mmCIF file of all heavy atoms in Angstrom:
data_model
loop_
_atom_site.group_PDB
_atom_site.id
_atom_site.type_symbol
_atom_site.label_atom_id
_atom_site.label_comp_id
_atom_site.label_asym_id
_atom_site.label_seq_id
_atom_site.Cartn_x
_atom_site.Cartn_y
_atom_site.Cartn_z
ATOM 1 N N MET A 203 15.589 1.994 -4.103
ATOM 2 C CA MET A 203 14.770 0.816 -3.807
ATOM 3 C C MET A 203 14.205 0.942 -2.401
ATOM 4 O O MET A 203 14.872 1.427 -1.496
ATOM 5 C CB MET A 203 15.592 -0.471 -3.890
ATOM 6 C CG MET A 203 16.221 -0.720 -5.258
ATOM 7 S SD MET A 203 15.057 -1.305 -6.445
ATOM 8 C CE MET A 203 14.990 -3.070 -6.032
ATOM 9 N N ALA A 204 12.980 0.515 -2.235
ATOM 10 C CA ALA A 204 12.357 0.580 -0.918
ATOM 11 C C ALA A 204 11.365 -0.566 -0.793
ATOM 12 O O ALA A 204 10.823 -1.054 -1.786
ATOM 13 C CB ALA A 204 11.643 1.913 -0.718
ATOM 14 N N MET A 205 11.159 -0.987 0.443
ATOM 15 C CA MET A 205 10.209 -2.059 0.736
ATOM 16 C C MET A 205 8.828 -1.440 0.943
ATOM 17 O O MET A 205 8.660 -0.589 1.818
ATOM 18 C CB MET A 205 10.676 -2.777 2.010
ATOM 19 C CG MET A 205 10.055 -4.122 2.219
ATOM 20 S SD MET A 205 10.698 -5.365 1.085
ATOM 21 C CE MET A 205 9.930 -6.831 1.787
ATOM 22 N N PRO A 206 7.841 -1.845 0.147
ATOM 23 C CA PRO A 206 6.488 -1.323 0.386
ATOM 24 C C PRO A 206 5.969 -1.762 1.756
ATOM 25 O O PRO A 206 6.341 -2.823 2.252
ATOM 26 C CB PRO A 206 5.657 -1.972 -0.731
ATOM 27 C CG PRO A 206 6.643 -2.362 -1.777
ATOM 28 C CD PRO A 206 7.904 -2.705 -1.031
ATOM 29 N N ASP A 207 5.153 -0.934 2.370
ATOM 30 C CA ASP A 207 4.511 -1.328 3.620
ATOM 31 C C ASP A 207 3.570 -2.497 3.357
ATOM 32 O O ASP A 207 2.851 -2.513 2.358
ATOM 33 C CB ASP A 207 3.702 -0.162 4.198
ATOM 34 C CG ASP A 207 4.606 0.954 4.717
ATOM 35 O OD1 ASP A 207 5.695 0.650 5.222
ATOM 36 O OD2 ASP A 207 4.197 2.120 4.600
ATOM 37 N N GLN A 208 3.569 -3.459 4.282
ATOM 38 C CA GLN A 208 2.682 -4.606 4.122
ATOM 39 C C GLN A 208 1.243 -4.245 4.459
ATOM 40 O O GLN A 208 0.309 -4.935 4.058
ATOM 41 C CB GLN A 208 3.152 -5.778 4.983
ATOM 42 C CG GLN A 208 4.495 -6.313 4.505
ATOM 43 C CD GLN A 208 4.973 -7.497 5.304
ATOM 44 O OE1 GLN A 208 4.172 -8.339 5.700
ATOM 45 N NE2 GLN A 208 6.264 -7.567 5.543
ATOM 46 N N GLU A 209 1.067 -3.165 5.211
ATOM 47 C CA GLU A 209 -0.273 -2.633 5.409
ATOM 48 C C GLU A 209 -0.146 -1.153 5.708
ATOM 49 O O GLU A 209 0.860 -0.697 6.240
ATOM 50 C CB GLU A 209 -1.026 -3.358 6.517
ATOM 51 C CG GLU A 209 -0.358 -3.279 7.880
ATOM 52 C CD GLU A 209 -1.188 -4.005 8.932
ATOM 53 O OE1 GLU A 209 -1.404 -5.217 8.777
ATOM 54 O OE2 GLU A 209 -1.604 -3.358 9.900
ATOM 55 N N ILE A 210 -1.151 -0.408 5.348
ATOM 56 C CA ILE A 210 -1.207 1.015 5.660
ATOM 57 C C ILE A 210 -2.564 1.293 6.284
ATOM 58 O O ILE A 210 -3.477 0.465 6.210
ATOM 59 C CB ILE A 210 -0.992 1.893 4.410
ATOM 60 C CG1 ILE A 210 -2.105 1.669 3.378
ATOM 61 C CG2 ILE A 210 0.380 1.631 3.796
ATOM 62 C CD1 ILE A 210 -2.045 2.650 2.207
ATOM 63 N N THR A 211 -2.676 2.455 6.901
ATOM 64 C CA THR A 211 -3.941 2.835 7.520
ATOM 65 C C THR A 211 -4.766 3.641 6.530
ATOM 66 O O THR A 211 -4.280 4.599 5.930
ATOM 67 C CB THR A 211 -3.677 3.671 8.779
ATOM 68 O OG1 THR A 211 -2.906 2.891 9.686
ATOM 69 C CG2 THR A 211 -4.991 4.070 9.442
ATOM 70 N N CYS A 212 -6.021 3.249 6.380
ATOM 71 C CA CYS A 212 -6.931 3.939 5.473
ATOM 72 C C CYS A 212 -7.177 5.367 5.969
ATOM 73 O O CYS A 212 -7.503 5.568 7.142
ATOM 74 C CB CYS A 212 -8.242 3.170 5.390
ATOM 75 S SG CYS A 212 -9.463 3.963 4.341
ATOM 76 N N VAL A 213 -7.001 6.328 5.074
ATOM 77 C CA VAL A 213 -7.195 7.720 5.465
ATOM 78 C C VAL A 213 -8.668 7.990 5.783
ATOM 79 O O VAL A 213 -8.997 8.831 6.608
ATOM 80 C CB VAL A 213 -6.702 8.642 4.339
ATOM 81 C CG1 VAL A 213 -6.957 10.107 4.681
ATOM 82 C CG2 VAL A 213 -5.218 8.428 4.076
ATOM 83 N N ASP A 214 -9.560 7.282 5.121
ATOM 84 C CA ASP A 214 -10.988 7.548 5.279
ATOM 85 C C ASP A 214 -11.564 6.924 6.546
ATOM 86 O O ASP A 214 -12.269 7.587 7.300
ATOM 87 C CB ASP A 214 -11.761 7.007 4.072
ATOM 88 C CG ASP A 214 -11.680 7.947 2.880
ATOM 89 O OD1 ASP A 214 -11.187 9.082 3.045
ATOM 90 O OD2 ASP A 214 -12.096 7.544 1.786
ATOM 91 N N CYS A 215 -11.289 5.649 6.781
ATOM 92 C CA CYS A 215 -11.994 4.950 7.853
ATOM 93 C C CYS A 215 -11.064 4.423 8.935
ATOM 94 O O CYS A 215 -11.531 3.917 9.946
ATOM 95 C CB CYS A 215 -12.832 3.807 7.279
ATOM 96 S SG CYS A 215 -11.861 2.379 6.779
ATOM 97 N N GLY A 216 -9.759 4.521 8.753
ATOM 98 C CA GLY A 216 -8.832 4.056 9.770
ATOM 99 C C GLY A 216 -8.600 2.554 9.742
ATOM 100 O O GLY A 216 -7.906 2.019 10.602
ATOM 101 N N GLY A 217 -9.186 1.869 8.774
ATOM 102 C CA GLY A 217 -8.976 0.423 8.648
ATOM 103 C C GLY A 217 -7.627 0.114 8.025
ATOM 104 O O GLY A 217 -6.885 1.007 7.621
ATOM 105 N N ASN A 218 -7.328 -1.166 7.947
ATOM 106 C CA ASN A 218 -6.057 -1.589 7.358
ATOM 107 C C ASN A 218 -6.221 -1.803 5.858
ATOM 108 O O ASN A 218 -7.212 -2.360 5.404
ATOM 109 C CB ASN A 218 -5.578 -2.889 7.993
ATOM 110 C CG ASN A 218 -5.160 -2.685 9.437
ATOM 111 O OD1 ASN A 218 -4.738 -1.597 9.810
ATOM 112 N ND2 ASN A 218 -5.291 -3.716 10.243
ATOM 113 N N CYS A 219 -5.212 -1.346 5.100
ATOM 114 C CA CYS A 219 -5.191 -1.537 3.661
ATOM 115 C C CYS A 219 -4.031 -2.460 3.314
ATOM 116 O O CYS A 219 -2.938 -2.338 3.872
ATOM 117 C CB CYS A 219 -4.995 -0.215 2.932
ATOM 118 S SG CYS A 219 -6.145 1.076 3.440
ATOM 119 N N TYR A 220 -4.273 -3.346 2.381
ATOM 120 C CA TYR A 220 -3.271 -4.327 1.998
ATOM 121 C C TYR A 220 -2.925 -4.163 0.525
ATOM 122 O O TYR A 220 -3.787 -3.821 -0.290
ATOM 123 C CB TYR A 220 -3.794 -5.742 2.258
ATOM 124 C CG TYR A 220 -4.032 -5.961 3.730
ATOM 125 C CD1 TYR A 220 -5.303 -5.795 4.282
ATOM 126 C CD2 TYR A 220 -2.976 -6.282 4.570
ATOM 127 C CE1 TYR A 220 -5.512 -5.958 5.645
ATOM 128 C CE2 TYR A 220 -3.179 -6.447 5.932
ATOM 129 C CZ TYR A 220 -4.444 -6.293 6.466
ATOM 130 O OH TYR A 220 -4.648 -6.442 7.804
ATOM 131 N N PRO A 221 -1.650 -4.414 0.168
ATOM 132 C CA PRO A 221 -1.230 -4.188 -1.216
ATOM 133 C C PRO A 221 -1.864 -5.184 -2.192
ATOM 134 O O PRO A 221 -2.106 -6.340 -1.854
ATOM 135 C CB PRO A 221 0.293 -4.370 -1.165
ATOM 136 C CG PRO A 221 0.567 -5.132 0.084
ATOM 137 C CD PRO A 221 -0.550 -4.845 1.033
ATOM 138 N N LEU A 222 -2.140 -4.689 -3.372
ATOM 139 C CA LEU A 222 -2.638 -5.529 -4.453
ATOM 140 C C LEU A 222 -1.478 -5.787 -5.419
ATOM 141 O O LEU A 222 -0.839 -4.858 -5.881
ATOM 142 C CB LEU A 222 -3.766 -4.827 -5.213
ATOM 143 C CG LEU A 222 -4.973 -4.377 -4.392
ATOM 144 C CD1 LEU A 222 -5.886 -3.518 -5.244
ATOM 145 C CD2 LEU A 222 -5.724 -5.579 -3.850
ATOM 146 N N GLY A 223 -1.223 -7.030 -5.712
ATOM 147 C CA GLY A 223 -0.222 -7.341 -6.721
ATOM 148 C C GLY A 223 1.201 -7.259 -6.228
ATOM 149 O O GLY A 223 2.135 -7.269 -7.020
ATOM 150 N N TRP A 224 1.389 -7.178 -4.936
ATOM 151 C CA TRP A 224 2.741 -7.213 -4.366
ATOM 152 C C TRP A 224 2.715 -8.009 -3.077
ATOM 153 O O TRP A 224 1.792 -7.877 -2.273
ATOM 154 C CB TRP A 224 3.262 -5.801 -4.089
ATOM 155 C CG TRP A 224 4.621 -5.821 -3.451
ATOM 156 C CD1 TRP A 224 5.836 -5.862 -4.093
ATOM 157 C CD2 TRP A 224 4.922 -5.848 -2.049
ATOM 158 N NE1 TRP A 224 6.853 -5.913 -3.164
ATOM 159 C CE2 TRP A 224 6.333 -5.901 -1.897
ATOM 160 C CE3 TRP A 224 4.142 -5.836 -0.895
ATOM 161 C CZ2 TRP A 224 6.963 -5.951 -0.662
ATOM 162 C CZ3 TRP A 224 4.771 -5.882 0.351
ATOM 163 C CH2 TRP A 224 6.165 -5.930 0.450
ATOM 164 N N TYR A 225 3.720 -8.858 -2.897
ATOM 165 C CA TYR A 225 3.818 -9.683 -1.702
ATOM 166 C C TYR A 225 5.203 -9.491 -1.099
ATOM 167 O O TYR A 225 6.150 -9.180 -1.817
ATOM 168 C CB TYR A 225 3.587 -11.160 -2.047
ATOM 169 C CG TYR A 225 2.227 -11.385 -2.648
ATOM 170 C CD1 TYR A 225 2.058 -11.372 -4.036
ATOM 171 C CD2 TYR A 225 1.113 -11.554 -1.835
ATOM 172 C CE1 TYR A 225 0.803 -11.542 -4.596
ATOM 173 C CE2 TYR A 225 -0.141 -11.723 -2.392
ATOM 174 C CZ TYR A 225 -0.300 -11.724 -3.760
ATOM 175 O OH TYR A 225 -1.546 -11.881 -4.305
ATOM 176 N N PRO A 226 5.322 -9.661 0.221
ATOM 177 C CA PRO A 226 6.615 -9.443 0.869
ATOM 178 C C PRO A 226 7.754 -10.210 0.203
ATOM 179 O O PRO A 226 8.876 -9.713 0.113
ATOM 180 C CB PRO A 226 6.377 -9.920 2.306
ATOM 181 C CG PRO A 226 4.916 -9.691 2.524
ATOM 182 C CD PRO A 226 4.254 -9.970 1.184
ATOM 183 N N GLU A 227 7.465 -11.410 -0.282
ATOM 184 C CA GLU A 227 8.530 -12.204 -0.898
ATOM 185 C C GLU A 227 8.983 -11.629 -2.233
ATOM 186 O O GLU A 227 10.000 -12.031 -2.782
ATOM 187 C CB GLU A 227 8.110 -13.677 -1.060
ATOM 188 C CG GLU A 227 6.842 -13.886 -1.848
ATOM 189 C CD GLU A 227 5.614 -13.989 -0.941
ATOM 190 O OE1 GLU A 227 5.582 -13.318 0.124
ATOM 191 O OE2 GLU A 227 4.685 -14.734 -1.314
ATOM 192 N N ASP A 228 8.206 -10.672 -2.760
ATOM 193 C CA ASP A 228 8.635 -9.999 -3.988
ATOM 194 C C ASP A 228 9.805 -9.044 -3.730
ATOM 195 O O ASP A 228 10.511 -8.668 -4.658
ATOM 196 C CB ASP A 228 7.482 -9.202 -4.610
ATOM 197 C CG ASP A 228 6.378 -10.117 -5.127
ATOM 198 O OD1 ASP A 228 6.655 -11.302 -5.385
ATOM 199 O OD2 ASP A 228 5.242 -9.642 -5.261
ATOM 200 N N GLY A 229 9.979 -8.636 -2.471
ATOM 201 C CA GLY A 229 11.121 -7.807 -2.118
ATOM 202 C C GLY A 229 10.920 -6.345 -2.454
ATOM 203 O O GLY A 229 9.832 -5.917 -2.839
ATOM 204 N N PRO A 230 11.986 -5.563 -2.296
ATOM 205 C CA PRO A 230 11.903 -4.123 -2.518
ATOM 206 C C PRO A 230 11.593 -3.793 -3.976
ATOM 207 O O PRO A 230 11.860 -4.597 -4.873
ATOM 208 C CB PRO A 230 13.283 -3.603 -2.128
ATOM 209 C CG PRO A 230 14.042 -4.744 -1.577
ATOM 210 C CD PRO A 230 13.315 -6.004 -1.878
ATOM 211 N N VAL A 231 11.030 -2.628 -4.172
ATOM 212 C CA VAL A 231 10.726 -2.149 -5.527
ATOM 213 C C VAL A 231 11.408 -0.802 -5.738
ATOM 214 O O VAL A 231 11.827 -0.141 -4.789
ATOM 215 C CB VAL A 231 9.201 -2.020 -5.749
ATOM 216 C CG1 VAL A 231 8.526 -3.372 -5.579
ATOM 217 C CG2 VAL A 231 8.604 -0.997 -4.810
ATOM 218 N N GLU A 232 11.506 -0.418 -6.984
ATOM 219 C CA GLU A 232 12.137 0.861 -7.320
ATOM 220 C C GLU A 232 11.353 2.019 -6.706
ATOM 221 O O GLU A 232 10.120 2.002 -6.671
ATOM 222 C CB GLU A 232 12.152 1.039 -8.841
ATOM 223 C CG GLU A 232 13.003 0.028 -9.584
ATOM 224 C CD GLU A 232 14.479 0.364 -9.535
ATOM 225 O OE1 GLU A 232 14.826 1.443 -8.994
ATOM 226 O OE2 GLU A 232 15.281 -0.448 -10.015
ATOM 227 N N ASP A 233 12.088 3.046 -6.262
ATOM 228 C CA ASP A 233 11.416 4.278 -5.845
ATOM 229 C C ASP A 233 10.577 4.799 -7.002
ATOM 230 O O ASP A 233 11.000 4.755 -8.163
ATOM 231 C CB ASP A 233 12.450 5.339 -5.457
ATOM 232 C CG ASP A 233 13.093 5.029 -4.111
ATOM 233 O OD1 ASP A 233 12.637 4.099 -3.441
ATOM 234 O OD2 ASP A 233 14.050 5.731 -3.754
ATOM 235 N N GLY A 234 9.400 5.289 -6.677
ATOM 236 C CA GLY A 234 8.508 5.799 -7.705
ATOM 237 C C GLY A 234 7.526 4.763 -8.221
ATOM 238 O O GLY A 234 6.603 5.108 -8.947
ATOM 239 N N THR A 235 7.709 3.494 -7.821
ATOM 240 C CA THR A 235 6.752 2.463 -8.209
ATOM 241 C C THR A 235 5.431 2.703 -7.493
ATOM 242 O O THR A 235 5.414 2.989 -6.300
ATOM 243 C CB THR A 235 7.276 1.068 -7.836
ATOM 244 O OG1 THR A 235 8.503 0.844 -8.511
ATOM 245 C CG2 THR A 235 6.273 -0.014 -8.225
ATOM 246 N N VAL A 236 4.330 2.604 -8.216
ATOM 247 C CA VAL A 236 3.017 2.791 -7.614
ATOM 248 C C VAL A 236 2.446 1.428 -7.246
ATOM 249 O O VAL A 236 2.305 0.553 -8.102
ATOM 250 C CB VAL A 236 2.063 3.524 -8.584
ATOM 251 C CG1 VAL A 236 0.670 3.636 -7.961
ATOM 252 C CG2 VAL A 236 2.610 4.908 -8.916
ATOM 253 N N ILE A 237 2.154 1.249 -5.972
ATOM 254 C CA ILE A 237 1.520 0.017 -5.484
ATOM 255 C C ILE A 237 0.105 0.358 -5.045
ATOM 256 O O ILE A 237 -0.083 1.203 -4.168
ATOM 257 C CB ILE A 237 2.295 -0.581 -4.286
ATOM 258 C CG1 ILE A 237 3.749 -0.848 -4.645
ATOM 259 C CG2 ILE A 237 1.595 -1.830 -3.778
ATOM 260 C CD1 ILE A 237 4.001 -2.120 -5.388
ATOM 261 N N PRO A 238 -0.899 -0.283 -5.651
ATOM 262 C CA PRO A 238 -2.263 -0.047 -5.181
ATOM 263 C C PRO A 238 -2.542 -0.833 -3.902
ATOM 264 O O PRO A 238 -2.127 -1.979 -3.764
ATOM 265 C CB PRO A 238 -3.129 -0.559 -6.339
ATOM 266 C CG PRO A 238 -2.286 -1.573 -7.029
ATOM 267 C CD PRO A 238 -0.837 -1.185 -6.804
ATOM 268 N N TYR A 239 -3.228 -0.204 -2.969
ATOM 269 C CA TYR A 239 -3.655 -0.848 -1.731
ATOM 270 C C TYR A 239 -5.176 -0.826 -1.683
ATOM 271 O O TYR A 239 -5.805 0.120 -2.135
ATOM 272 C CB TYR A 239 -3.115 -0.096 -0.505
ATOM 273 C CG TYR A 239 -1.643 -0.279 -0.251
ATOM 274 C CD1 TYR A 239 -0.707 0.333 -1.072
ATOM 275 C CD2 TYR A 239 -1.196 -1.038 0.815
ATOM 276 C CE1 TYR A 239 0.656 0.176 -0.840
ATOM 277 C CE2 TYR A 239 0.167 -1.200 1.065
ATOM 278 C CZ TYR A 239 1.082 -0.594 0.238
ATOM 279 O OH TYR A 239 2.427 -0.753 0.478
ATOM 280 N N ARG A 240 -5.746 -1.863 -1.094
ATOM 281 C CA ARG A 240 -7.207 -1.943 -0.940
ATOM 282 C C ARG A 240 -7.535 -1.975 0.533
ATOM 283 O O ARG A 240 -6.990 -2.781 1.273
ATOM 284 C CB ARG A 240 -7.723 -3.224 -1.616
ATOM 285 C CG ARG A 240 -9.210 -3.437 -1.456
ATOM 286 C CD ARG A 240 -10.031 -2.594 -2.400
ATOM 287 N NE ARG A 240 -9.840 -3.002 -3.786
ATOM 288 C CZ ARG A 240 -10.290 -2.309 -4.832
ATOM 289 N NH1 ARG A 240 -10.966 -1.203 -4.659
ATOM 290 N NH2 ARG A 240 -10.067 -2.730 -6.048
ATOM 291 N N CYS A 241 -8.455 -1.088 0.925
ATOM 292 C CA CYS A 241 -8.884 -1.069 2.320
ATOM 293 C C CYS A 241 -9.798 -2.251 2.599
ATOM 294 O O CYS A 241 -10.758 -2.491 1.866
ATOM 295 C CB CYS A 241 -9.609 0.236 2.634
ATOM 296 S SG CYS A 241 -10.257 0.270 4.316
ATOM 297 N N ARG A 242 -9.498 -2.943 3.674
ATOM 298 C CA ARG A 242 -10.267 -4.132 4.038
ATOM 299 C C ARG A 242 -11.667 -3.753 4.487
ATOM 300 O O ARG A 242 -12.610 -4.527 4.375
ATOM 301 C CB ARG A 242 -9.474 -4.832 5.148
ATOM 302 C CG ARG A 242 -10.228 -5.741 6.051
ATOM 303 C CD ARG A 242 -9.319 -6.291 7.104
ATOM 304 N NE ARG A 242 -9.319 -5.448 8.296
ATOM 305 C CZ ARG A 242 -8.711 -5.753 9.417
ATOM 306 N NH1 ARG A 242 -8.004 -6.849 9.487
ATOM 307 N NH2 ARG A 242 -8.772 -4.959 10.452
ATOM 308 N N ASP A 243 -11.813 -2.549 5.045
ATOM 309 C CA ASP A 243 -13.086 -2.171 5.648
ATOM 310 C C ASP A 243 -14.009 -1.450 4.671
ATOM 311 O O ASP A 243 -15.169 -1.815 4.521
ATOM 312 C CB ASP A 243 -12.843 -1.307 6.880
ATOM 313 C CG ASP A 243 -12.210 -2.106 8.024
ATOM 314 O OD1 ASP A 243 -12.381 -3.347 8.023
ATOM 315 O OD2 ASP A 243 -11.560 -1.507 8.871
ATOM 316 N N CYS A 244 -13.508 -0.400 4.011
ATOM 317 C CA CYS A 244 -14.393 0.375 3.128
ATOM 318 C C CYS A 244 -14.107 0.087 1.650
ATOM 319 O O CYS A 244 -14.793 0.615 0.783
ATOM 320 C CB CYS A 244 -14.274 1.874 3.416
ATOM 321 S SG CYS A 244 -12.717 2.620 2.906
ATOM 322 N N LEU A 245 -13.095 -0.737 1.394
ATOM 323 C CA LEU A 245 -12.762 -1.188 0.038
ATOM 324 C C LEU A 245 -12.296 -0.065 -0.878
ATOM 325 O O LEU A 245 -12.230 -0.238 -2.083
ATOM 326 C CB LEU A 245 -13.946 -1.938 -0.616
ATOM 327 C CG LEU A 245 -14.445 -3.161 0.157
ATOM 328 C CD1 LEU A 245 -15.570 -3.848 -0.599
ATOM 329 C CD2 LEU A 245 -13.316 -4.142 0.456
ATOM 330 N N ASP A 246 -11.949 1.067 -0.276
ATOM 331 C CA ASP A 246 -11.334 2.114 -1.082
ATOM 332 C C ASP A 246 -9.973 1.648 -1.572
ATOM 333 O O ASP A 246 -9.307 0.843 -0.933
ATOM 334 C CB ASP A 246 -11.157 3.390 -0.248
ATOM 335 C CG ASP A 246 -12.271 4.392 -0.491
ATOM 336 O OD1 ASP A 246 -13.243 4.033 -1.185
ATOM 337 O OD2 ASP A 246 -12.173 5.529 0.019
ATOM 338 N N ARG A 247 -9.559 2.195 -2.694
ATOM 339 C CA ARG A 247 -8.242 1.883 -3.240
ATOM 340 C C ARG A 247 -7.336 3.095 -3.068
ATOM 341 O O ARG A 247 -7.761 4.227 -3.315
ATOM 342 C CB ARG A 247 -8.368 1.545 -4.723
ATOM 343 C CG ARG A 247 -7.015 1.392 -5.416
ATOM 344 C CD ARG A 247 -7.201 0.952 -6.849
ATOM 345 N NE ARG A 247 -5.994 1.193 -7.616
ATOM 346 C CZ ARG A 247 -5.648 0.518 -8.699
ATOM 347 N NH1 ARG A 247 -6.446 -0.442 -9.136
ATOM 348 N NH2 ARG A 247 -4.541 0.795 -9.344
ATOM 349 N N TRP A 248 -6.121 2.832 -2.628
ATOM 350 C CA TRP A 248 -5.116 3.873 -2.444
ATOM 351 C C TRP A 248 -3.897 3.508 -3.274
ATOM 352 O O TRP A 248 -3.365 2.418 -3.139
ATOM 353 C CB TRP A 248 -4.735 3.995 -0.968
ATOM 354 C CG TRP A 248 -5.915 4.262 -0.095
ATOM 355 C CD1 TRP A 248 -6.640 3.347 0.601
ATOM 356 C CD2 TRP A 248 -6.536 5.533 0.132
ATOM 357 N NE1 TRP A 248 -7.666 3.990 1.268
ATOM 358 C CE2 TRP A 248 -7.625 5.326 0.991
ATOM 359 C CE3 TRP A 248 -6.265 6.837 -0.304
ATOM 360 C CZ2 TRP A 248 -8.451 6.363 1.425
ATOM 361 C CZ3 TRP A 248 -7.091 7.860 0.124
ATOM 362 C CH2 TRP A 248 -8.164 7.625 0.986
ATOM 363 N N ASP A 249 -3.479 4.406 -4.121
ATOM 364 C CA ASP A 249 -2.260 4.189 -4.892
ATOM 365 C C ASP A 249 -1.108 4.867 -4.163
ATOM 366 O O ASP A 249 -1.101 6.088 -4.014
ATOM 367 C CB ASP A 249 -2.404 4.766 -6.303
ATOM 368 C CG ASP A 249 -3.358 3.938 -7.146
ATOM 369 O OD1 ASP A 249 -3.406 2.706 -6.943
ATOM 370 O OD2 ASP A 249 -4.033 4.507 -8.007
ATOM 371 N N ILE A 250 -0.186 4.068 -3.696
ATOM 372 C CA ILE A 250 0.933 4.569 -2.904
ATOM 373 C C ILE A 250 2.193 4.568 -3.768
ATOM 374 O O ILE A 250 2.527 3.559 -4.393
ATOM 375 C CB ILE A 250 1.152 3.687 -1.657
ATOM 376 C CG1 ILE A 250 -0.116 3.675 -0.782
ATOM 377 C CG2 ILE A 250 2.368 4.162 -0.864
ATOM 378 C CD1 ILE A 250 -0.555 5.028 -0.282
ATOM 379 N N VAL A 251 2.868 5.703 -3.801
ATOM 380 C CA VAL A 251 4.138 5.799 -4.510
ATOM 381 C C VAL A 251 5.255 5.416 -3.542
ATOM 382 O O VAL A 251 5.437 6.062 -2.513
ATOM 383 C CB VAL A 251 4.362 7.219 -5.061
ATOM 384 C CG1 VAL A 251 5.681 7.281 -5.839
ATOM 385 C CG2 VAL A 251 3.201 7.640 -5.953
ATOM 386 N N ILE A 252 5.972 4.371 -3.873
ATOM 387 C CA ILE A 252 7.027 3.872 -2.985
ATOM 388 C C ILE A 252 8.198 4.854 -2.979
ATOM 389 O O ILE A 252 8.572 5.400 -4.020
ATOM 390 C CB ILE A 252 7.487 2.481 -3.468
ATOM 391 C CG1 ILE A 252 6.301 1.519 -3.518
ATOM 392 C CG2 ILE A 252 8.600 1.953 -2.565
ATOM 393 C CD1 ILE A 252 5.510 1.437 -2.234
ATOM 394 N N GLY A 253 8.732 5.076 -1.793
ATOM 395 C CA GLY A 253 9.854 5.992 -1.659
ATOM 396 C C GLY A 253 9.433 7.415 -1.373
ATOM 397 O O GLY A 253 10.282 8.292 -1.248
ATOM 398 N N GLU A 254 8.114 7.640 -1.261
ATOM 399 C CA GLU A 254 7.606 8.960 -0.898
ATOM 400 C C GLU A 254 6.778 8.812 0.374
ATOM 401 O O GLU A 254 6.274 7.745 0.659
ATOM 402 C CB GLU A 254 6.727 9.536 -2.020
ATOM 403 C CG GLU A 254 7.532 9.870 -3.265
ATOM 404 C CD GLU A 254 6.695 10.588 -4.309
ATOM 405 O OE1 GLU A 254 5.482 10.758 -4.095
ATOM 406 O OE2 GLU A 254 7.273 10.973 -5.334
ATOM 407 N N PRO A 255 6.622 9.899 1.122
ATOM 408 C CA PRO A 255 5.833 9.823 2.353
ATOM 409 C C PRO A 255 4.390 9.401 2.055
ATOM 410 O O PRO A 255 3.846 9.741 1.018
ATOM 411 C CB PRO A 255 5.876 11.241 2.915
ATOM 412 C CG PRO A 255 7.046 11.885 2.238
ATOM 413 C CD PRO A 255 7.179 11.225 0.905
ATOM 414 N N GLU A 256 3.792 8.667 3.023
ATOM 415 C CA GLU A 256 2.390 8.316 2.868
ATOM 416 C C GLU A 256 1.528 9.560 2.913
ATOM 417 O O GLU A 256 1.856 10.537 3.597
ATOM 418 C CB GLU A 256 1.956 7.394 4.019
ATOM 419 C CG GLU A 256 2.573 6.018 3.942
ATOM 420 C CD GLU A 256 2.100 5.152 5.099
ATOM 421 O OE1 GLU A 256 1.060 5.468 5.696
ATOM 422 O OE2 GLU A 256 2.789 4.173 5.403
ATOM 423 N N PRO A 257 0.416 9.581 2.192
ATOM 424 C CA PRO A 257 -0.516 10.707 2.296
ATOM 425 C C PRO A 257 -1.073 10.809 3.704
ATOM 426 O O PRO A 257 -1.347 9.801 4.336
ATOM 427 C CB PRO A 257 -1.620 10.367 1.295
ATOM 428 C CG PRO A 257 -1.491 8.911 1.046
ATOM 429 C CD PRO A 257 -0.046 8.541 1.298
ATOM 430 N N GLN A 258 -1.209 12.002 4.188
ATOM 431 C CA GLN A 258 -1.691 12.207 5.560
ATOM 432 C C GLN A 258 -3.176 12.519 5.531
ATOM 433 O O GLN A 258 -3.657 13.138 4.617
ATOM 434 C CB GLN A 258 -0.946 13.350 6.223
ATOM 435 C CG GLN A 258 0.547 13.064 6.327
ATOM 436 C CD GLN A 258 0.852 11.845 7.197
ATOM 437 O OE1 GLN A 258 0.263 11.700 8.251
ATOM 438 N NE2 GLN A 258 1.739 11.003 6.734
HETATM 439 ZN ZN1 LIG B 957 -11.172 2.431 4.546
#
């Protein structure tokens, strides 16, 4: 189990990305769960696998 990041840095534009369909009050999720993030600036979507390193 791991807590998803509440925001990540967009690889493309350096903006902040926020999770879709997950909120801090939802708590930790199983390792391997895919949480989609949406970049606030360029609106790209990033699918992050929880429990694995962020893409660099
Ligand atoms: Zn972006």
Side-chain angles (χ1 to χ4, degrees):
M203 300 283 279
M205 197 73 172
D207 290 326
Q208 294 182 37
E209 60 179 60
I210 63 172
T211 300
C212 178
V213 177
D214 280 350
C215 75
N218 291 332
C219 308
Y220 296 96
L222 303 171
W224 178 87
Y225 300 93
E227 56 266 33
D228 293 338
V231 299
E232 295 281 355
D233 286 352
T235 300
V236 177
I237 303 279
Y239 286 73
R240 177 79 67 190
C241 176
R242 157 182 91 173
D243 291 337
C244 71
L245 302 182
D246 262 8
R247 172 176 163 154
W248 303 96
D249 289 327
I250 301 300
V251 182
I252 303 307
E254 292 187 356
E256 290 180 20
Q258 298 297 316

